[in-house]
Amino acid sequence: MQQQRLTVQPGELILREGDPADCAYLIEAGRVAVRRSSGAQQVQLAVLGAGEWVGEMGVIAEKPRSASVVALEPCTLRRIEPDQLL
């Protein structure tokens, strides 16, 4: 199966907390922020960059997304389907 590449711009939402975990992304270029809701506020948990993964834990655990991921700068991501990840 061919892997899909995605280009996102700063401020663009990549993954939304609570959504189904239908794929993971490998960050090829750029940086993203991982954020979780805490009441009405967003708490930043991490900043990730090239060579790191986002969304894999939801796919492995077969649970909804536990956090949102937002691009901090222009990013290139490689979409990884569950069967490719597992």
Side-chain angles (χ1 to χ4, degrees), residues 30-78:
R31 293 182 316 128
V32 302
V34 180
R35 300 175 179 160
R36 181 178 286 164
S37 296
S38 178
Q41 305 227 354
Q42 289 281 309
V43 176
Q44 187 163 299
L45 303 175
V47 173
L48 303 175
E52 296 184 280
W53 291 85
V54 293
E56 78 283 1
M57 292 310 298
V59 173
I60 292 168
E62 297 181 351
K63 295 193 177 206
R65 305 281 184 206
S66 61
S68 294
V69 177
V70 179
L72 294 175
E73 55 193 45
C75 295
T76 302
L77 310 168
R78 183 182 308 169

